[in-house]
């Protein structure tokens, strides 16, 4: 079964600086997808970025990029030029490991951006 | 576009009561899911459906039931509510997924906050 590990319960970053949120995963399948979601204090789940196991390049979406190291089974989210509105819970999730349908989520990292 | 709509937003139940959490999507997605989120935890899958008439259990199905009579609707039924079911419930949907590496994300509703006392 697949497993997602987020080892940082909380992170702090100064406004305008970059921050990396860690995510490691465990699967023996060659085909899988990795997702990051943002959950602000209002509670909704917002999709940020995707990385496929066969992708040759790291994914980028605006200020978000994914540092994908396949051999290490890590998929860290990098947020550049942090903004106060980036303060939220961030979840790493994976599709794969025997199921093509569901996403398995990590426990999340609470990011606080300080002015 | 409404996306995924969940009702109600909040609900308080007494132990032993029953209720149905409603979920509807207007994106013509085949796949639908119910997750629960406990405080400080990630999301755990309760049930999912890959199309009308097809449902299957996730990680934590005990105490819940689902049905999928149409593509649009995927209600979650709680029978005999227990304090352990106090949680935030999220419904989600996605396009059909052919391979695990598919880039189709889950689209989430805004959640239902349920308290059982």
């Amino acid at each position: 079964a697949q497993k997602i590990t987020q080892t940082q319960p909380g992170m702090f970053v100064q406004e305008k600086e970059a921050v990396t949120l860690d995510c490691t995963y465990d699967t023996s399948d060659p085909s899988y997808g990795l997702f990051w979601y943002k959950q602000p204090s209002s509670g909704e789940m917002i999709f940020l970025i995707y990385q496929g196991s066969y992708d040759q390049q790291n994914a980028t979406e605006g200020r978000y990029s994914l540092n994908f190291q396949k051999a290490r089974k890590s998929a860290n989210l990098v947020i550049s030029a942090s903004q106060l509105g980036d303060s939220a819970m961030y979840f790493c999730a994976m599709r794969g490991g025997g199921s093509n349908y569901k996403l398995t989520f990590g426990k999340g990292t609470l990011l606080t951006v300080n002015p | 576009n409404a996306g995924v709509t969940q009702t109600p937003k909040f609900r308080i139940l007494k132990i032993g009561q029953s209720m149905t959490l409603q979920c509807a999507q207007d994106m013509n997605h085949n796949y639908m899911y119910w997750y629960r989120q406990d405080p400080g935890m990630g999301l755990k899958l309760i049930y999912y459906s890959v199309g009308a008439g097809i449902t299957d259990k996730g990680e934590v199905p005990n105490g819940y039931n689902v049905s999928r009579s149409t593509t649009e609707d995927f209600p979650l039924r709680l029978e005999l509510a227990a304090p352990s079911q106090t949680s935030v419930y999220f419904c989600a949907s996605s396009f059909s997924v052919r391979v695990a590496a598919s880039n189709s994300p889950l689209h989430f509703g805004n959640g239902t906050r349920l308290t059982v006392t």
Side-chain angles (χ1 to χ4, degrees):
Chain A
Q2 61 264 43
K3 184 179 180 181
I4 294 285
T5 303
Q6 294 181 255
T7 58
Q8 306 154 314
M11 288 283 287
F12 294 88
V13 65
Q14 287 298 122
E15 194 178 8
K16 299 181 184 178
E17 292 185 349
V19 63
T20 297
L21 306 183
D22 294 341
C23 173
T24 58
Y25 58 93
D26 186 20
T27 181
S28 57
D29 289 346
S31 176
Y32 53 89
L34 297 155
F35 300 78
W36 277 91
Y37 281 82
K38 173 184 178 181
Q39 186 180 42
S41 58
S42 51
E44 69 268 31
M45 294 288 288
I46 302 167
F47 166 65
L48 295 178
I49 195 167
Y50 161 85
Q51 180 82 45
S53 58
Y54 299 121
D55 294 342
Q56 296 297 314
Q57 293 186 327
N58 288 341
T60 60
E61 289 287 348
R63 294 186 300 110
Y64 303 109
S65 61
L66 208 153
N67 184 1
F68 181 47
Q69 299 189 42
K70 196 169 182 177
R72 294 185 177 183
K73 294 187 177 178
S74 73
N76 299 338
L77 177 70
V78 181
I79 305 175
S80 63
S82 296
Q83 302 172 356
L84 295 178
D86 294 334
S87 292
M89 185 73 89
Y90 289 81
F91 292 99
C92 180
M94 182 174 75
R95 173 185 284 132
S99 169
N100 288 350
Y101 313 131
K102 65 180 182 180
L103 292 190
T104 298
F105 285 81
K107 293 186 176 181
T109 296
L110 180 61
L111 177 66
T112 302
V113 181
N114 293 319
Chain B
N1 287 338
V4 179
T5 302
Q6 290 184 239
T7 56
K9 292 184 178 180
F10 304 93
R11 185 70 186 269
I12 299 174
L13 283 181
K14 294 188 184 300
I15 294 172
Q17 288 185 322
S18 301
M19 77 163 294
T20 299
L21 281 66
Q22 301 292 344
C23 175
Q25 53 92 9
D26 62 358
M27 296 175 281
N28 203 30
H29 286 168
N30 279 334
Y31 292 11
M32 295 189 74
Y33 313 80
W34 275 105
Y35 284 87
R36 61 177 286 173
Q37 182 181 25
D38 299 322
M41 302 293 288
L43 280 70
K44 293 192 181 297
L45 184 65
I46 305 171
Y47 271 95
Y48 66 97
S49 169
V50 300
I54 306 170
T55 63
D56 207 349
K57 296 178 180 179
E59 302 171 74
V60 289
N62 291 343
Y64 307 95
N65 278 299
V66 294
S67 60
R68 184 96 182 270
S69 57
T70 67
T71 298
E72 293 78 18
D73 300 302
F74 190 40
L76 178 71
R77 179 80 176 165
L78 278 72
E79 305 281 1
L80 299 175
S84 61
Q85 293 177 305
T86 294
S87 190
V88 179
Y89 291 84
F90 285 98
C91 180
S93 70
S94 73
F95 285 112
S96 299
V97 176
R98 294 188 178 182
V99 295
S102 167
N103 63 358
S104 178
L106 269 60
H107 300 263
F108 284 85
N110 287 334
T112 295
R113 186 174 296 273
L114 176 68
T115 302
V116 182
T117 62

